Amino acid sequence: MVKNIDSNTEVLAVIGDPVKHSFSPKIQNYFISQHGKNAVYLAFEFRKKDLDGAFEGAKKLGFKGFNVTMPFKEDVFSIVDKLDSNASAVNSVNTIKFDKINNNVSGFNTDLDGFIKSLEEKDFSFKGKTCLIIGAGGSAKSCIYGLLKKNVKKIYVFNRTYKKVSLIKRSFKEFDGNRITAVKDFTDLNMLEGEIDLIINCTPQGMDLDDFKKLMPVPKKWDLGGKYIFEMVYKPVETKFVKKAIREGAVIINGIDMLVNQAAFSFKLWFDIMPDTEKIKEIVLEDIHYKQNSNFKVKK
Ligand code: NAP
């Protein structure tokens, strides 16, 4: 917890709609306290029409930074003065830095770094690997760009709306995007089992909603043993996909790894310190009330 708020306390926040469920305040305030920074991190929920006003206000009040979540990740493009290469490649900003001295606003995307770090922590070696991404939304785009940059051999992308995959393939053309193969349907997906080293679920399938609970992003009959499984969903932490992966002996990277790692890279942009993430991953895990009957562990 922040102990001594005074007139020098710096203000940071996550902005989005909705944002009440966000773990960012818990994670960032943990980092702030871990490193004894005189800062506080809050959450602000407002409508899209108020986005420009919120930025103007934050600038005038001397805010240090924002995390940006749905549905503003693309909208902030027109507001920032500068964009880092990751944010412009994936068309999405999740971190804002206000530069009070030069009076400008920079946009970054730390999802990408958080994604790569989560894989590196589990010793995934990228070169020559074949990956399968399920989904074609914002997080899928970050993963695809990250994998292209890390020189994987091939990326299959499967999405219920096929057209979106072709658009993604086109958008990454200049980054050696011919390594991306769009998977047309379940028949084609079925045939990939033996070829895939890493499967990443970038859809909400498996989330704790009645419709999704029973769903799995890959065919049930697949044997996940020996593969790497990356689950973006973190509520619940142990989705049906993760349960299957545990049973069959896969290496698992869960949504909390990604959530905390991308937050750590945001903190680094604001404070120039890379915080330790191990303990806060456990705290978030406990917070999600994931405790019972499980052999699931946050650590390697
Ligand atoms: P997004 O941009 O809205 O994309 C959602 C994707 O999921 C789309 O490809 C969509 O397919 C697909 N989808 C949605 N409902 C589906 C269903 N019933 N069956 C099959 N596919 C379905 O969302 P996003 O930002 O990429 O996020 C995706 C998931 O990852 C969310 O659950 C989000 O909470 C999670 N996430 C976690 C982290 C983390 O830090 N752990 C970070 C980012 C995202 P269509 O194209 O057909 O609509």
Side-chain angles (χ1 to χ4, degrees), residues 135-139 159-161 164 202-204 212 232 234 255 258-259:
S139 60
N159 189 45
R160 65 173 180 182
T161 313
K164 277 199 197 163
C202 295
T203 76
F212 292 132
M232 283 285 162
Y234 54 84
M258 169 77 181
L259 181 72

Side-chain angles (χ1 to χ4, degrees), residues 70 73 111 134-141 158-162 164 201-205 207 211-212 215 230-234 254-260 262:
M70 300 305 285
K73 283 184 162 190
D111 284 340
I134 311 290
S139 60
K141 261 158 91 180
F158 178 67
N159 189 45
R160 65 173 180 182
T161 313
Y162 177 73
K164 277 199 197 163
N201 177 32
C202 295
T203 76
Q205 287 179 92
M207 274 185 82
D211 283 353
F212 292 132
L215 294 174
F230 200 127
E231 173 64 276
M232 283 285 162
V233 171
Y234 54 84
N254 68 79
I256 295 176
D257 292 323
M258 169 77 181
L259 181 72
V260 173
Q262 57 85 23

Side-chain angles (χ1 to χ4, degrees), residues 135-279:
S139 60
K141 261 158 91 180
S142 292
C143 297
I144 291 168
Y145 185 52
L147 293 172
L148 287 172
K149 276 177 58 167
K150 292 296 280 184
N151 284 323
V152 298
K153 186 170 87 182
K154 200 163 188 177
I155 305 168
Y156 288 105
V157 186
F158 178 67
N159 189 45
R160 65 173 180 182
T161 313
Y162 177 73
K163 196 175 158 215
K164 277 199 197 163
V165 185
S166 354
L167 291 175
I168 284 189
K169 198 170 151 59
R170 210 178 308 153
S171 71
F172 286 120
K173 211 170 163 191
E174 61 178 296
F175 304 106
D176 201 3
N178 56 4
R179 282 177 287 159
I180 302 171
T181 299
V183 182
K184 278 213 175 65
D185 50 32
F186 282 107
T187 314
D188 287 356
L189 180 70
N190 259 316
M191 293 193 300
L192 299 177
E193 181 184 3
E195 207 186 322
I196 305 296
D197 300 298
L198 164 68
I199 304 168
I200 308 157
N201 177 32
C202 295
T203 76
Q205 287 179 92
M207 274 185 82
D208 213 352
L209 305 167
D210 280 347
D211 283 353
F212 292 132
K213 244 187 216 166
K214 301 174 209 91
L215 294 174
M216 201 141 38
V218 293
K220 263 191 209 154
K221 62 171 190 181
W222 278 19
D223 179 3
L224 303 178
K227 295 190 193 302
Y228 276 76
I229 301 304
F230 200 127
E231 173 64 276
M232 283 285 162
V233 171
Y234 54 84
K235 212 170 172 187
V237 181
E238 201 180 72
T239 59
K240 210 169 176 192
F241 183 40
V242 168
K243 275 185 184 149
K244 177 175 165 63
I246 291 171
R247 271 198 314 272
E248 293 170 4
V251 180
I252 297 147
I253 298 106
N254 68 79
I256 295 176
D257 292 323
M258 169 77 181
L259 181 72
V260 173
N261 285 336
Q262 57 85 23
F265 280 104
S266 294
F267 185 85
K268 182 169 189 291
L269 283 168
W270 298 317
F271 295 100
D272 208 16
I273 298 169
M274 191 65 192
D276 184 58
T277 53
E278 217 163 278
K279 180 78 185 139

